[in-house]
Amino acid sequence: MEHRALSRLAVPAAAALLALTTACTAGTVQGRPGASGLRDPYFPKAGNGGYQIEHYGLDLDYDPADGQLDGTAVITARAEQGLSSFNLDLAGLDVEGVTVQGRGARFNRTGRELTVRPATDLKKGEVFRAEVDYHGKPKPITDADGSHEGWITTADGAVGVGEPIGSMAWFPGNHHPSDKATYDITLTVPKGYEAVSNGELRSRTDSADGRRTEFVWHSPEPMASYLATAAIGKFKVTTGRTPSGVALCEAVDPAEAAASAPALARLPEIVEWGSRRFGPYPFGTAGAIVLPAESLSYALETQTKPVFSGAPDEKLVLHETAHQWFGDSVSPKSWKDMWLNEGFATYAEWLWSEDHGGTTAQQHFDAFLTGDTAVDKDAGSDWAAFPPADPPGAKDISEAPVYYRGAMVLQRIRQEVGDEKFFALLRGWAADHRYGNASTADFTAYAERTTGHDLKKIWDVWLYGEGRPGQPSAGHP
C-alpha cells in the first residue's frame, strides 16, 4: 500500500446456538468452539481460531445498477482441534444458509462474526468443506485511520479491497493475514462490464440470453484474504508478457488510460528488475487495475494486480509491485509486522532510483536524517514518531515511520554488513519465506544468522528505539 497519510468476541453461548435455524443431530460433544478472534495486537477480533483455510471458491453475481451482491462461498479448511463450532468473519450481508460436509449447519450472527455449528463435530486434522450462501448490498468499512476499504462503489462499478480487514465486507472467511489460501473467484456481471480478480483468467463466458458475462479467475499461490480483489467496471483490458514470460494483465478505466500509459509501460521492466534484485517473481501473473480517479484514497498491493485510484506514476507502480515479494508472497504474521511490507517496498523505491542513475539509497537515508526535502519530498515527514516495529495503535500501521524508518532500518543493515551480504539477505528472505508468513522476530533472527553480524544495536536503536536515531559516524557505503 502507498503511505495513506500522504494520499490517503466471545463465542456465542450454547443457548444462543440452539435458537438457530437448521436442525442438528444431537450427540456427545467431542470438540470445542473455535476462538472468535486471533488476538492480533491491533485487530484482536480479526481471524478465527481452530482451523486453517486451504481454499476459497467464491461465486459472486453483482449488478452495479442496484449494488446487489449474490454470493456463494465454498471454503475448504483443516480443523486444528476438535470443533463443535467455528467462526467466520462477515460484515453486513444476509446469510441464507450454511452447510458443512454437505449437511445443513446451524448458524448465527453477532456483529461481524458468523458462528457455524456443524451437524456433527469436526475432528482434529479433518479437512472439511463449508458452504455459505449470502446476499445483500455490501458496504465500505471505515479503518481506524479514517480511510475506507471493503466494498467500494466506483463511478461505473465497484471494487473489493481488504487491507487490513475489509475483505469481510464481501465474502465470509478467516480474515487475518496469518491464514493464507488458494482462490478461485467467479464474477458474473451485466454484459458490457469487465470483472477482474487475482491470478489468471480461466474463462470468460456470455450467458445464453447474452445479458450477463461470467469471468472465472484462478489463484494457485497462497494469498492472504486482505490481498483478494474483485473489480467491476468498463475497463480497457490488455494482456502481454514480460521478457522472462510472466503473464501481464492490465485493466484500466478508459478515462485514465492515457495518463496511466507511461508508468504501466515500465511494468515489464519493473518485474524483471525485481526478479534480479529480490529473486524470481513469485506469481504466474502480474498487472494492474486502474480505477476511476478518486475511487480510493490510496493504492493497494492486491496480489498479482495492484489496485490504483486514478493513473499511477512510475514510483507507485514500483512500490506496489515490490509488495508482490514483500507483503504478498512473504506476508506478515500480524499487523504489528507491517513494516516488513512497507519498509521493504519503500526501500525498493530507493533501490530502483539508485539502479537507474537517480538518488541513491544512502542519499535518501541522509535526506531523512537532515530533513532535506529537496532530495526526498517525504523527508519532512514525522518518520521518527514511533518505532516501526511497534506502532502505538491500529490507526498508525500506515503512518510514516512504518514506511520511511522501516526503509532506513534496511539501509542501516546494508551499511553494517556491506552490499554482498545485504542483497543476499533480501533474496534469501524472499526465497526462504516464499508463500508464507513471517514476523519481525523471524526477520531479525534471519538477518543475523545469514549475515553473520550482531545487529542488536540496529534493532535496539532503529527498529524498537524511541526518539530520533542519529547518523552513524563513518564507514557506510
PDB file of all heavy atoms in Angstrom, residues 237-269:
ATOM      1  N   VAL A 237      -9.020  -3.665 -21.076  1.00  0.00           N
ATOM      2  CA  VAL A 237      -8.154  -4.739 -20.610  1.00  0.00           C
ATOM      3  C   VAL A 237      -7.130  -5.085 -21.681  1.00  0.00           C
ATOM      4  O   VAL A 237      -7.483  -5.314 -22.850  1.00  0.00           O
ATOM      5  CB  VAL A 237      -8.968  -5.990 -20.236  1.00  0.00           C
ATOM      6  CG1 VAL A 237      -8.049  -7.122 -19.790  1.00  0.00           C
ATOM      7  CG2 VAL A 237      -9.973  -5.659 -19.126  1.00  0.00           C
ATOM      8  N   THR A 238      -5.865  -5.101 -21.306  1.00  0.00           N
ATOM      9  CA  THR A 238      -4.794  -5.505 -22.206  1.00  0.00           C
ATOM     10  C   THR A 238      -3.969  -6.599 -21.546  1.00  0.00           C
ATOM     11  O   THR A 238      -3.870  -6.663 -20.322  1.00  0.00           O
ATOM     12  CB  THR A 238      -3.867  -4.323 -22.562  1.00  0.00           C
ATOM     13  OG1 THR A 238      -3.299  -3.783 -21.346  1.00  0.00           O
ATOM     14  CG2 THR A 238      -4.638  -3.223 -23.278  1.00  0.00           C
ATOM     15  N   THR A 239      -3.389  -7.468 -22.369  1.00  0.00           N
ATOM     16  CA  THR A 239      -2.580  -8.571 -21.858  1.00  0.00           C
ATOM     17  C   THR A 239      -1.243  -8.605 -22.582  1.00  0.00           C
ATOM     18  O   THR A 239      -1.073  -8.016 -23.645  1.00  0.00           O
ATOM     19  CB  THR A 239      -3.291  -9.918 -22.039  1.00  0.00           C
ATOM     20  OG1 THR A 239      -3.556 -10.137 -23.430  1.00  0.00           O
ATOM     21  CG2 THR A 239      -4.609  -9.932 -21.268  1.00  0.00           C
ATOM     22  N   GLY A 240      -0.292  -9.304 -22.013  1.00  0.00           N
ATOM     23  CA  GLY A 240       1.022  -9.444 -22.615  1.00  0.00           C
ATOM     24  C   GLY A 240       1.904 -10.318 -21.749  1.00  0.00           C
ATOM     25  O   GLY A 240       1.414 -11.052 -20.883  1.00  0.00           O
ATOM     26  N   ARG A 241       3.209 -10.226 -21.941  1.00  0.00           N
ATOM     27  CA  ARG A 241       4.166 -10.974 -21.137  1.00  0.00           C
ATOM     28  C   ARG A 241       5.426 -10.152 -20.938  1.00  0.00           C
ATOM     29  O   ARG A 241       5.779  -9.328 -21.778  1.00  0.00           O
ATOM     30  CB  ARG A 241       4.531 -12.317 -21.802  1.00  0.00           C
ATOM     31  CG  ARG A 241       3.403 -13.319 -21.774  1.00  0.00           C
ATOM     32  CD  ARG A 241       3.849 -14.718 -22.171  1.00  0.00           C
ATOM     33  NE  ARG A 241       2.722 -15.638 -22.095  1.00  0.00           N
ATOM     34  CZ  ARG A 241       2.327 -16.274 -21.003  1.00  0.00           C
ATOM     35  NH1 ARG A 241       3.014 -16.106 -19.874  1.00  0.00           N
ATOM     36  NH2 ARG A 241       1.292 -17.084 -21.022  1.00  0.00           N
ATOM     37  N   THR A 242       6.095 -10.400 -19.816  1.00  0.00           N
ATOM     38  CA  THR A 242       7.398  -9.797 -19.595  1.00  0.00           C
ATOM     39  C   THR A 242       8.429 -10.553 -20.438  1.00  0.00           C
ATOM     40  O   THR A 242       8.151 -11.652 -20.935  1.00  0.00           O
ATOM     41  CB  THR A 242       7.807  -9.882 -18.123  1.00  0.00           C
ATOM     42  OG1 THR A 242       8.067 -11.250 -17.788  1.00  0.00           O
ATOM     43  CG2 THR A 242       6.710  -9.343 -17.209  1.00  0.00           C
ATOM     44  N   PRO A 243       9.632 -10.008 -20.593  1.00  0.00           N
ATOM     45  CA  PRO A 243      10.659 -10.728 -21.355  1.00  0.00           C
ATOM     46  C   PRO A 243      10.941 -12.138 -20.843  1.00  0.00           C
ATOM     47  O   PRO A 243      11.270 -13.028 -21.630  1.00  0.00           O
ATOM     48  CB  PRO A 243      11.883  -9.823 -21.208  1.00  0.00           C
ATOM     49  CG  PRO A 243      11.315  -8.450 -21.070  1.00  0.00           C
ATOM     50  CD  PRO A 243      10.068  -8.641 -20.254  1.00  0.00           C
ATOM     51  N   SER A 244      10.782 -12.371 -19.536  1.00  0.00           N
ATOM     52  CA  SER A 244      11.041 -13.710 -18.996  1.00  0.00           C
ATOM     53  C   SER A 244       9.807 -14.601 -19.006  1.00  0.00           C
ATOM     54  O   SER A 244       9.871 -15.756 -18.570  1.00  0.00           O
ATOM     55  CB  SER A 244      11.574 -13.603 -17.566  1.00  0.00           C
ATOM     56  OG  SER A 244      10.594 -13.038 -16.707  1.00  0.00           O
ATOM     57  N   GLY A 245       8.672 -14.090 -19.486  1.00  0.00           N
ATOM     58  CA  GLY A 245       7.496 -14.922 -19.665  1.00  0.00           C
ATOM     59  C   GLY A 245       6.398 -14.789 -18.642  1.00  0.00           C
ATOM     60  O   GLY A 245       5.407 -15.530 -18.691  1.00  0.00           O
ATOM     61  N   VAL A 246       6.514 -13.845 -17.687  1.00  0.00           N
ATOM     62  CA  VAL A 246       5.428 -13.633 -16.728  1.00  0.00           C
ATOM     63  C   VAL A 246       4.241 -12.999 -17.445  1.00  0.00           C
ATOM     64  O   VAL A 246       4.396 -11.988 -18.145  1.00  0.00           O
ATOM     65  CB  VAL A 246       5.887 -12.738 -15.560  1.00  0.00           C
ATOM     66  CG1 VAL A 246       4.718 -12.450 -14.614  1.00  0.00           C
ATOM     67  CG2 VAL A 246       7.038 -13.377 -14.801  1.00  0.00           C
ATOM     68  N   ALA A 247       3.058 -13.597 -17.299  1.00  0.00           N
ATOM     69  CA  ALA A 247       1.868 -13.071 -17.961  1.00  0.00           C
ATOM     70  C   ALA A 247       1.462 -11.737 -17.336  1.00  0.00           C
ATOM     71  O   ALA A 247       1.565 -11.543 -16.124  1.00  0.00           O
ATOM     72  CB  ALA A 247       0.717 -14.067 -17.841  1.00  0.00           C
ATOM     73  N   LEU A 248       1.011 -10.811 -18.177  1.00  0.00           N
ATOM     74  CA  LEU A 248       0.579  -9.489 -17.728  1.00  0.00           C
ATOM     75  C   LEU A 248      -0.884  -9.279 -18.067  1.00  0.00           C
ATOM     76  O   LEU A 248      -1.356  -9.670 -19.150  1.00  0.00           O
ATOM     77  CB  LEU A 248       1.403  -8.387 -18.403  1.00  0.00           C
ATOM     78  CG  LEU A 248       2.895  -8.334 -18.078  1.00  0.00           C
ATOM     79  CD1 LEU A 248       3.587  -7.309 -18.968  1.00  0.00           C
ATOM     80  CD2 LEU A 248       3.118  -7.995 -16.614  1.00  0.00           C
ATOM     81  N   CYS A 249      -1.607  -8.651 -17.147  1.00  0.00           N
ATOM     82  CA  CYS A 249      -2.996  -8.267 -17.396  1.00  0.00           C
ATOM     83  C   CYS A 249      -3.237  -6.916 -16.727  1.00  0.00           C
ATOM     84  O   CYS A 249      -3.056  -6.780 -15.513  1.00  0.00           O
ATOM     85  CB  CYS A 249      -3.957  -9.309 -16.835  1.00  0.00           C
ATOM     86  SG  CYS A 249      -5.709  -8.878 -17.048  1.00  0.00           S
ATOM     87  N   GLU A 250      -3.633  -5.943 -17.539  1.00  0.00           N
ATOM     88  CA  GLU A 250      -3.900  -4.603 -17.024  1.00  0.00           C
ATOM     89  C   GLU A 250      -5.329  -4.208 -17.384  1.00  0.00           C
ATOM     90  O   GLU A 250      -5.742  -4.322 -18.538  1.00  0.00           O
ATOM     91  CB  GLU A 250      -2.915  -3.599 -17.620  1.00  0.00           C
ATOM     92  CG  GLU A 250      -1.468  -3.890 -17.229  1.00  0.00           C
ATOM     93  CD  GLU A 250      -0.457  -3.109 -18.053  1.00  0.00           C
ATOM     94  OE1 GLU A 250      -0.900  -2.340 -18.948  1.00  0.00           O
ATOM     95  OE2 GLU A 250       0.753  -3.276 -17.826  1.00  0.00           O
ATOM     96  N   ALA A 251      -6.078  -3.787 -16.360  1.00  0.00           N
ATOM     97  CA  ALA A 251      -7.448  -3.326 -16.543  1.00  0.00           C
ATOM     98  C   ALA A 251      -7.494  -1.859 -16.149  1.00  0.00           C
ATOM     99  O   ALA A 251      -7.267  -1.526 -14.977  1.00  0.00           O
ATOM    100  CB  ALA A 251      -8.411  -4.145 -15.691  1.00  0.00           C
ATOM    101  N   VAL A 252      -7.778  -0.983 -17.101  1.00  0.00           N
ATOM    102  CA  VAL A 252      -7.635   0.455 -16.883  1.00  0.00           C
ATOM    103  C   VAL A 252      -8.930   1.174 -17.247  1.00  0.00           C
ATOM    104  O   VAL A 252      -9.499   0.955 -18.318  1.00  0.00           O
ATOM    105  CB  VAL A 252      -6.475   1.019 -17.734  1.00  0.00           C
ATOM    106  CG1 VAL A 252      -6.296   2.510 -17.481  1.00  0.00           C
ATOM    107  CG2 VAL A 252      -5.176   0.265 -17.433  1.00  0.00           C
ATOM    108  N   ASP A 253      -9.367   2.041 -16.341  1.00  0.00           N
ATOM    109  CA  ASP A 253     -10.508   2.896 -16.652  1.00  0.00           C
ATOM    110  C   ASP A 253     -10.172   3.721 -17.887  1.00  0.00           C
ATOM    111  O   ASP A 253      -9.101   4.347 -17.954  1.00  0.00           O
ATOM    112  CB  ASP A 253     -10.797   3.814 -15.464  1.00  0.00           C
ATOM    113  CG  ASP A 253     -11.921   4.770 -15.754  1.00  0.00           C
ATOM    114  OD1 ASP A 253     -13.079   4.319 -15.838  1.00  0.00           O
ATOM    115  OD2 ASP A 253     -11.642   5.978 -15.916  1.00  0.00           O
ATOM    116  N   PRO A 254     -11.033   3.733 -18.900  1.00  0.00           N
ATOM    117  CA  PRO A 254     -10.696   4.424 -20.145  1.00  0.00           C
ATOM    118  C   PRO A 254     -10.290   5.879 -19.958  1.00  0.00           C
ATOM    119  O   PRO A 254      -9.397   6.372 -20.669  1.00  0.00           O
ATOM    120  CB  PRO A 254     -11.980   4.311 -20.979  1.00  0.00           C
ATOM    121  CG  PRO A 254     -12.634   3.060 -20.468  1.00  0.00           C
ATOM    122  CD  PRO A 254     -12.326   3.023 -19.000  1.00  0.00           C
ATOM    123  N   ALA A 255     -10.887   6.562 -18.976  1.00  0.00           N
ATOM    124  CA  ALA A 255     -10.541   7.969 -18.758  1.00  0.00           C
ATOM    125  C   ALA A 255      -9.134   8.128 -18.198  1.00  0.00           C
ATOM    126  O   ALA A 255      -8.564   9.225 -18.252  1.00  0.00           O
ATOM    127  CB  ALA A 255     -11.555   8.615 -17.808  1.00  0.00           C
ATOM    128  N   GLU A 256      -8.560   7.045 -17.651  1.00  0.00           N
ATOM    129  CA  GLU A 256      -7.222   7.095 -17.061  1.00  0.00           C
ATOM    130  C   GLU A 256      -6.165   6.443 -17.945  1.00  0.00           C
ATOM    131  O   GLU A 256      -4.990   6.384 -17.573  1.00  0.00           O
ATOM    132  CB  GLU A 256      -7.232   6.390 -15.692  1.00  0.00           C
ATOM    133  CG  GLU A 256      -8.221   6.963 -14.696  1.00  0.00           C
ATOM    134  CD  GLU A 256      -7.916   8.412 -14.342  1.00  0.00           C
ATOM    135  OE1 GLU A 256      -6.728   8.777 -14.297  1.00  0.00           O
ATOM    136  OE2 GLU A 256      -8.884   9.178 -14.136  1.00  0.00           O
ATOM    137  N   ALA A 257      -6.575   5.948 -19.114  1.00  0.00           N
ATOM    138  CA  ALA A 257      -5.662   5.155 -19.940  1.00  0.00           C
ATOM    139  C   ALA A 257      -4.458   5.964 -20.410  1.00  0.00           C
ATOM    140  O   ALA A 257      -3.311   5.510 -20.305  1.00  0.00           O
ATOM    141  CB  ALA A 257      -6.416   4.569 -21.129  1.00  0.00           C
ATOM    142  N   ALA A 258      -4.675   7.153 -20.930  1.00  0.00           N
ATOM    143  CA  ALA A 258      -3.564   7.946 -21.461  1.00  0.00           C
ATOM    144  C   ALA A 258      -2.581   8.331 -20.366  1.00  0.00           C
ATOM    145  O   ALA A 258      -1.361   8.223 -20.534  1.00  0.00           O
ATOM    146  CB  ALA A 258      -4.108   9.187 -22.167  1.00  0.00           C
ATOM    147  N   ALA A 259      -3.107   8.779 -19.235  1.00  0.00           N
ATOM    148  CA  ALA A 259      -2.229   9.197 -18.144  1.00  0.00           C
ATOM    149  C   ALA A 259      -1.515   8.015 -17.498  1.00  0.00           C
ATOM    150  O   ALA A 259      -0.413   8.170 -16.947  1.00  0.00           O
ATOM    151  CB  ALA A 259      -3.039   9.959 -17.091  1.00  0.00           C
ATOM    152  N   SER A 260      -2.115   6.817 -17.556  1.00  0.00           N
ATOM    153  CA  SER A 260      -1.511   5.626 -16.959  1.00  0.00           C
ATOM    154  C   SER A 260      -0.435   5.008 -17.837  1.00  0.00           C
ATOM    155  O   SER A 260       0.439   4.283 -17.336  1.00  0.00           O
ATOM    156  CB  SER A 260      -2.584   4.557 -16.700  1.00  0.00           C
ATOM    157  OG  SER A 260      -3.550   4.991 -15.785  1.00  0.00           O
ATOM    158  N   ALA A 261      -0.498   5.268 -19.114  1.00  0.00           N
ATOM    159  CA  ALA A 261       0.344   4.547 -20.071  1.00  0.00           C
ATOM    160  C   ALA A 261       1.839   4.627 -19.770  1.00  0.00           C
ATOM    161  O   ALA A 261       2.531   3.595 -19.817  1.00  0.00           O
ATOM    162  CB  ALA A 261       0.045   5.025 -21.488  1.00  0.00           C
ATOM    163  N   PRO A 262       2.416   5.799 -19.464  1.00  0.00           N
ATOM    164  CA  PRO A 262       3.871   5.839 -19.231  1.00  0.00           C
ATOM    165  C   PRO A 262       4.327   4.950 -18.082  1.00  0.00           C
ATOM    166  O   PRO A 262       5.327   4.233 -18.210  1.00  0.00           O
ATOM    167  CB  PRO A 262       4.133   7.322 -18.941  1.00  0.00           C
ATOM    168  CG  PRO A 262       3.006   8.053 -19.606  1.00  0.00           C
ATOM    169  CD  PRO A 262       1.824   7.156 -19.441  1.00  0.00           C
ATOM    170  N   ALA A 263       3.609   4.992 -16.963  1.00  0.00           N
ATOM    171  CA  ALA A 263       4.021   4.184 -15.808  1.00  0.00           C
ATOM    172  C   ALA A 263       3.799   2.703 -16.075  1.00  0.00           C
ATOM    173  O   ALA A 263       4.662   1.864 -15.753  1.00  0.00           O
ATOM    174  CB  ALA A 263       3.266   4.627 -14.562  1.00  0.00           C
ATOM    175  N   LEU A 264       2.651   2.341 -16.644  1.00  0.00           N
ATOM    176  CA  LEU A 264       2.366   0.936 -16.893  1.00  0.00           C
ATOM    177  C   LEU A 264       3.294   0.356 -17.953  1.00  0.00           C
ATOM    178  O   LEU A 264       3.560  -0.859 -17.955  1.00  0.00           O
ATOM    179  CB  LEU A 264       0.904   0.747 -17.290  1.00  0.00           C
ATOM    180  CG  LEU A 264      -0.124   1.070 -16.204  1.00  0.00           C
ATOM    181  CD1 LEU A 264      -1.538   0.793 -16.694  1.00  0.00           C
ATOM    182  CD2 LEU A 264       0.151   0.290 -14.917  1.00  0.00           C
ATOM    183  N   ALA A 265       3.813   1.191 -18.829  1.00  0.00           N
ATOM    184  CA  ALA A 265       4.769   0.717 -19.827  1.00  0.00           C
ATOM    185  C   ALA A 265       6.055   0.219 -19.176  1.00  0.00           C
ATOM    186  O   ALA A 265       6.789  -0.588 -19.760  1.00  0.00           O
ATOM    187  CB  ALA A 265       5.088   1.823 -20.827  1.00  0.00           C
ATOM    188  N   ARG A 266       6.340   0.681 -17.952  1.00  0.00           N
ATOM    189  CA  ARG A 266       7.542   0.249 -17.236  1.00  0.00           C
ATOM    190  C   ARG A 266       7.320  -1.037 -16.447  1.00  0.00           C
ATOM    191  O   ARG A 266       8.280  -1.588 -15.894  1.00  0.00           O
ATOM    192  CB  ARG A 266       8.009   1.341 -16.261  1.00  0.00           C
ATOM    193  CG  ARG A 266       8.281   2.708 -16.860  1.00  0.00           C
ATOM    194  CD  ARG A 266       9.406   2.702 -17.883  1.00  0.00           C
ATOM    195  NE  ARG A 266      10.709   2.301 -17.363  1.00  0.00           N
ATOM    196  CZ  ARG A 266      11.591   3.138 -16.816  1.00  0.00           C
ATOM    197  NH1 ARG A 266      11.296   4.435 -16.679  1.00  0.00           N
ATOM    198  NH2 ARG A 266      12.773   2.702 -16.420  1.00  0.00           N
ATOM    199  N   LEU A 267       6.077  -1.511 -16.370  1.00  0.00           N
ATOM    200  CA  LEU A 267       5.788  -2.673 -15.525  1.00  0.00           C
ATOM    201  C   LEU A 267       6.609  -3.904 -15.908  1.00  0.00           C
ATOM    202  O   LEU A 267       7.168  -4.569 -15.014  1.00  0.00           O
ATOM    203  CB  LEU A 267       4.287  -2.988 -15.538  1.00  0.00           C
ATOM    204  CG  LEU A 267       3.844  -4.169 -14.667  1.00  0.00           C
ATOM    205  CD1 LEU A 267       4.247  -3.979 -13.209  1.00  0.00           C
ATOM    206  CD2 LEU A 267       2.334  -4.381 -14.780  1.00  0.00           C
ATOM    207  N   PRO A 268       6.722  -4.266 -17.187  1.00  0.00           N
ATOM    208  CA  PRO A 268       7.558  -5.430 -17.503  1.00  0.00           C
ATOM    209  C   PRO A 268       8.991  -5.262 -17.007  1.00  0.00           C
ATOM    210  O   PRO A 268       9.580  -6.211 -16.461  1.00  0.00           O
ATOM    211  CB  PRO A 268       7.498  -5.503 -19.037  1.00  0.00           C
ATOM    212  CG  PRO A 268       6.218  -4.824 -19.396  1.00  0.00           C
ATOM    213  CD  PRO A 268       6.067  -3.719 -18.397  1.00  0.00           C
ATOM    214  N   GLU A 269       9.555  -4.069 -17.166  1.00  0.00           N
ATOM    215  CA  GLU A 269      10.907  -3.807 -16.699  1.00  0.00           C
ATOM    216  C   GLU A 269      10.987  -3.897 -15.175  1.00  0.00           C
ATOM    217  O   GLU A 269      11.975  -4.416 -14.625  1.00  0.00           O
ATOM    218  CB  GLU A 269      11.348  -2.423 -17.171  1.00  0.00           C
ATOM    219  CG  GLU A 269      12.751  -2.041 -16.769  1.00  0.00           C
ATOM    220  CD  GLU A 269      13.105  -0.610 -17.146  1.00  0.00           C
ATOM    221  OE1 GLU A 269      12.290   0.060 -17.824  1.00  0.00           O
ATOM    222  OE2 GLU A 269      14.195  -0.151 -16.744  1.00  0.00           O
TER     223      GLU A 269
END
